[in-house]
C-alpha cells in the first residue's frame, strides 16, 4: 500500500510496528496464549468480604490470565490503567513499571507500553484480581504480552457529562464495517447472541419433537416452492443456467415422500427483489414439514414454538417492539383473509369476479393492471389495507386457491385453501399449508401458474416435473410451514430494521471519489510516481489543476514530499506549468474557464 493512501495515525502505527520488530518483539505471535478467565466471569464471581459469597470463585489475589483489546489507557508515570475488552465485556487492568519489568531493563513499560502500543491492540495479561480504592474490580498485571498490533485506529466513543462524542453511528458505515460496530458500540454483540439463542431454541424444540434437520440444494434447475423472482447463475460443468433457491419446499416434500416423519431446514434463500427495512435479498428461512398433520395442528404448534423462543430470549412471553408490547403467549387470533379484507374495507370478495375485484382496487386508487389475476388482486388488497394493522400475533387463514398453488383445497369452503400466514407487528412472519398431495390437482395448479406467467407475472411458479413425479409415488397428508428467521429475530430483539440483525447485510458498492487514471495524467506529462502525490494534495482529476498557479501547485507538492518524507525530488515550476498548460478545458462550450 502506498504510504500516501494512509492517514497520519495509520502511518504512526506502522512505524511503531517496525520499531517493535526492531526490538525483537513479534507483533503477531503464533503461539497459543492460554487464558483462564473472562472479564464478566471475574466481575460476577469476585468477593472480597470477610466471608466468601456462595458460588464465588474469585477472591482478592486470585491469579488470572486474560486477553483482549486495549480500549483505553491512562498513563500516570510509573503506573497506568488500561481498559481491556474481551469477548464477554470489559475490565480494568492496573499496570506498574516495576511489576512488568522486574529487572533493570524497563523498555517493556517505558517504550513498548507507553509509546508503541495503541488503542485497539490485543494484549495478554497475567496477574491477580483485586479491588481498587475506588471500589472497581480490576486485574493487577504481573506480565504483559502483545498479541496483535492494530494498524487502523478504532472510532472510540467518548463521553462527557453523559453526552457521547465521536459515535460510530452512521448506518452505512456500521453495516459495511460490522467488525468495527461490534467492537465499539454497546448492545450490537448482544443482538447477535440473542439471534443465536433464537436458532438454538428453535432447533431444540424441533429436535425434541423428533424431526430431522436436513440440507437441500441451494443451486436448483427450477426456481420453485414460492412466488418470487430468482437470481440466475451459470453452471459451467453442465453448461446450463441455474437458480439460487427461493425456497426449500419442493425438496423437503420429496423427503416426506421418501418416508421421513418430519424434516426441517434452516438455510439461506435468495430472492432477486428489493431491499428495504424489512427485506434483504439473501435471507434465512426455516421450513418444516410433518406427515399426517394439517394447518390447524401447525397453528397450535407454531404459537407454542414462538412462545418458547420468546421466553428463552427475553425471559418472558412478551417483547416491546416499536412502542408496542407484543405478547407471544398462546393462543393467537385466527381470522380468514376475506373476512379481514371486509373488516378493514367493507368490501366482501366472496363470490366476486376478477373484474369486480379489479374495479374495486382501482376505485380505491390502487396501482393494479390486467396482468394481475384474482389471487394477486386479493393479495394487493390485503397488503394495502390489512397487513400493517395486525400488531399482535394473528393467523390470517383460508386463502383463495389462486394465491396458493401448493395448498390443499379447504375441506368445507369452496374456492379457498387450507393456508395461513402469521402476522406480527404488521408484517408476515410465517406461511403454512395443509400441503397439496394430489398430483393431478397439483399439475393443474402449475399449469394455471404458467398462464399467469404468460400474462406477465414474473413471480409465477414454473412446472417442476420431477416434483410431480414424486407426488405420483404418493405423499401422505402433510402440513408445512416457513418462518423468516431474520424477521423472527427482529421481533424477539425489538429491532426495527432487518439490517440490525444481519451481520453483513447487502449494501450498494462503496462510493469513491472519481479519479483520473495514471494514463490520463500521463497525457499532460505527469510521471506516474507523482500521481499519488497530486491525489494526496487534493487533485483527483486532471482538470482540477487547470486553475492552479504553477508556483503554488509546486509548493503543495513539496509540502507533501516533506511531510511524508518521500525520497523524491519535487518538479520544477516550469515542469508544473507544462502540466497545467496541457490540461484540457472541460468547461461548458462557450463559457470559457473561470
Amino acid at each position: 500500500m502506498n504510504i500516501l493512501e494512509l492517514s497520519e495515525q495509520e502511518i504512526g502505527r506502522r512505524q511503531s510496528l517496525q520499531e517493535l520488530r526492531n526490538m525483537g518483539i513479534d507483533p503477531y505471535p503464533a503461539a497459543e496464549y492460554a487464558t483462564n478467565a473472562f472479564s464478566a466471569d471475574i466481575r460476577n464471581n469476585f468477593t472480597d468480604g470477610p466471608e466468601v459469597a456462595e458460588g464465588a470463585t474469585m477472591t482478592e489475589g486470585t491469579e488470572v490470565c486474560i486477553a483482549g483489546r486495549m480500549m483505553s489507557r491512562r498513563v500516570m508515570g510509573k503506573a497506568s490503567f488500561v481498559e481491556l475488552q474481551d469477548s464477554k465485556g470489559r475490565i480494568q487492568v492496573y499496570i506498574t513499571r516495576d511489576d512488568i519489568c522486574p529487572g533493570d531493563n524497563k523498555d517493556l513499560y517505558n517504550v513498548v507500553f507507553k509509546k508503541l502500543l495503541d488503542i485497539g491492540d490485543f494484549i495478554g495479561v497475567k496477574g491477580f484480581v483485586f479491588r481498587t480504592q475506588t471500589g472497581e474490580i480490576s486485574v493487577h498485571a504481573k506480565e504483559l504480552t502483545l498479541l496483535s498490533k492494530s494498524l487502523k485506529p478504532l472510532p472510540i466513543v467518548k463521553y462527557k457529562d453523559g453526552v457521547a462524542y465521536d459515535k460510530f453511528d452512521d448506518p452505512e458505515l456500521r453495516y459495511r464495517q460490522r467488525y468495527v460496530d461490534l467492537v465499539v458500540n454497546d448492545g450490537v454483540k448482544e443482538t447477535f447472541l440473542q439471534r443465536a439463542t433464537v436458532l438454538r431454541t428453535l432447533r431444540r424444540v424441533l429436535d425434541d419433537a423428533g424431526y430431522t434437520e436436513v440440507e437441500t440444494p441451494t443451486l436448483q434447475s427450477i426456481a420453485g416452492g414460492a412466488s418470487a423472482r430468482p437470481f440466475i447463475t451459470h453452471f459451467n460443468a453442465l453448461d446450463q443456467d441455474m437458480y439460487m433457491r427461493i425456497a426449500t419446499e419442493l425438496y423437503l416434500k420429496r423427503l416426506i415422500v421418501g418416508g421421513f416423519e418430519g424434516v426441517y431446514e434452516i438455510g439461506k434463500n435468495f430472492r432477486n427483489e428489493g431491499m428495504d427495512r424489512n427485506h434483504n435479498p439473501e435471507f434465512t428461512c426455516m421450513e418444516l414439514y410433518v406427515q399426517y398433520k394439517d394447518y390447524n395442528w401447525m397453528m397450535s404448534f407454531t404459537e407454542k414454538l414462538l412462545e418458547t423462543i420468546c421466553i428463552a430470549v427475553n425471559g418472558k412471553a412478551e417483547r416491546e417492539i416499536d412502542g408496542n408490547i407484543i405478547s407471544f403467549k398462546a393462543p393467537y387470533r385466527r381470522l380468514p383473509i376475506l373476512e379481514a379484507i371486509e373488516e378493514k374495507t367493507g368490501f366482501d370478495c366472496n363470490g366476486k369476479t376478477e373484474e369486480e375485484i379489479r374495479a374495486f382496487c382501482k376505485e380505491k386508487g390502487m396501482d393494479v393492471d390486467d396482468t394481475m389475476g384474482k389471487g394477486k388482486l386479493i393479495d394487493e388488497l390485503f397488503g394495502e389495507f390489512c397487513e400493517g394493522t395486525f400488531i399482535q400475533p394473528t393467523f390470517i387463514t383460508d386463502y383463495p386457491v389462486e394465491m396458493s398453488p401448493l395448498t390443499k383445497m379447504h375441506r368445507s369452503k369452496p374456492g379457498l385453501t387450507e393456508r395461513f400466514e402469521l402476522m406480527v407487528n404488521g408484517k408476515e412472519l410465517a406461511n403454512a399449508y395443509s400441503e397439496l398431495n394430489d398430483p393431478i390437482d397439483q399439475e393443474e395448479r402449475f399449469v394455471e401458474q404458467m398462464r399467469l406467467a404468460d400474462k406477465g407475472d414474473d413471480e409465477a411458479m414454473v412446472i417442476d416435473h420431477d416434483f410431480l413425479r414424486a407426488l405420483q409415488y404418493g405423499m401422505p397428508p402433510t402440513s408445512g410451514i416457513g418462518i423468516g428467521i431474520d424477521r423472527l429475530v427482529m421481533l424477539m430483539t425489538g429491532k426495527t430494521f432487518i439490517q440490525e440483525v444481519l451481520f453483513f447485510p447487502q449494501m450498494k458498492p462503496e462510493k469513491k471519489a472519481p479519479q483520473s487514471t495514471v494514463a490520463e495524467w500521463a497525457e499532460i506529462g505527469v510521471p506516474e510516481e507523482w500521481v499519488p502525490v497530486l491525489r494526496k494534495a487534493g487533485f483527483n482529476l486532471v482538470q482540477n489543476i487547470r486553475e492552479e498557479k504553477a508556483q503554488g501547485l509546486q509548493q503543495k507538492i513539496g509540502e507533501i514530499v516533506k511531510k511524508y518524507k518521500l525520497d523524491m525530488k519535487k518538479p520544477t515550476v516550469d515542469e508544473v506549468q507544462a502540466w497545467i498548460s496541457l490540461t484540457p478545458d472541460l468547461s461548458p462550450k462557450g463559457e470559457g474557464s473561470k
Side-chain angles (χ1 to χ4, degrees), residues 347-363:
F347 182 74
D348 185 1
C349 294
N350 272 302
K352 297 295 193 298
T353 65
E354 179 181 313
E355 288 308 316
E356 288 174 319
I357 298 173
R358 182 178 288 108
F360 178 75
C361 291
K362 290 181 178 179
E363 179 186 318

Side-chain angles (χ1 to χ4, degrees), residues 417-436:
T417 60
E418 295 196 348
R419 172 186 176 188
F420 73 78
E421 288 186 347
L422 176 59
M423 299 292 162
V424 186
N425 199 37
K427 295 296 177 184
E428 175 197 343
L429 174 61
N431 188 19
Y433 318 143
S434 294
E435 301 294 338
L436 179 60

Side-chain angles (χ1 to χ4, degrees), residues 228-248:
R229 185 182 298 118
F231 285 93
I232 303 174
T233 187
H234 190 75
F235 196 151
N236 289 333
L238 297 178
D239 192 24
Q240 73 176 68
D241 284 343
M242 301 286 284
Y243 302 93
M244 302 292 286
R245 71 180 178 202
I246 58 176
T248 56

Side-chain angles (χ1 to χ4, degrees), residues 70-303:
M70 185 171 68
M71 299 301 291
S72 69
R73 173 177 50 189
R74 288 179 291 136
V75 178
M76 299 171 292
K78 298 178 182 179
S80 300
F81 285 98
V82 161
E83 187 178 37
L84 184 143
Q85 177 173 302
D86 62 19
S87 62
K88 292 189 177 182
R90 297 188 181 189
I91 194 165
Q92 180 174 269
V93 178
Y94 176 62
I95 300 174
T96 69
R97 185 191 67 181
D98 294 335
D99 279 329
I100 66 170
C101 304
D104 294 334
N105 188 335
K106 307 297 182 181
D107 285 351
L108 179 59
Y109 184 84
N110 292 335
V111 179
V112 176
F113 173 72
K114 291 175 65 174
K115 298 179 181 179
L116 302 183
L117 293 191
D118 293 288
I119 302 303
D121 289 353
F122 282 88
I123 58 174
V125 172
K126 292 182 179 179
F128 60 86
V129 183
F130 77 110
R131 189 186 294 274
T132 65
Q133 292 180 350
T134 60
E136 185 168 354
I137 299 170
S138 306
V139 174
H140 187 131
K142 303 297 287 185
E143 294 182 24
L144 178 70
T145 304
L146 173 62
L147 299 177
S148 182
K149 182 71 183 162
S150 171
L151 298 183
K152 293 184 78 68
L154 288 169
I156 300 299
V157 181
K158 303 178 182 66
Y159 294 90
K160 184 177 181 181
D161 300 327
V163 179
Y165 297 90
D166 301 325
K167 294 173 68 176
F168 187 70
D169 57 2
D170 179 81
E172 181 166 341
L173 281 176
R174 288 184 54 232
Y175 304 152
R176 197 180 298 281
Q177 299 180 33
R178 181 68 82 186
Y179 37 88
V180 177
D181 188 34
L182 288 163
V183 173
V184 303
N185 285 327
D186 293 337
V188 176
K189 189 173 184 179
E190 180 62 27
T191 296
F192 290 98
L193 292 174
Q194 290 175 321
R195 182 185 177 110
T197 299
V198 169
L199 289 168
R200 186 166 54 248
T201 307
L202 176 62
R203 280 190 167 95
R204 175 175 58 79
V205 172
L206 297 178
D207 291 343
D208 289 349
Y211 308 138
T212 304
E213 183 173 8
V214 298
E215 294 177 297
T216 60
T218 300
L219 283 177
Q220 302 181 355
S221 58
I222 293 175
S227 297
R229 185 182 298 118
F231 285 93
I232 303 174
T233 187
H234 190 75
F235 196 151
N236 289 333
L238 297 178
D239 192 24
Q240 73 176 68
D241 284 343
M242 301 286 284
Y243 302 93
M244 302 292 286
R245 71 180 178 202
I246 58 176
T248 56
E249 178 167 346
L250 301 186
Y251 279 97
L252 293 175
K253 287 182 182 177
R254 286 170 168 91
L255 299 180
I256 296 295
V257 170
F260 280 88
E261 176 198 359
V263 291
Y264 72 94
E265 181 168 8
I266 301 172
K268 294 287 189 180
N269 290 341
F270 307 86
R271 299 186 181 179
N272 197 358
E273 297 167 349
M275 296 188 297
D276 57 33
R277 60 187 288 178
N278 293 297
H279 298 86
N280 195 65
E282 172 188 358
F283 63 98
T284 305
C285 188
M286 187 285 297
E287 290 200 39
L288 165 71
Y289 294 84
V290 186
Q291 63 182 4
Y292 310 126
K293 308 296 184 185
D294 66 3
Y295 80 141
N296 292 311
W297 175 90
M298 188 61 81
M299 279 187 264
S300 298
F301 183 84
T302 300
E303 58 195 11

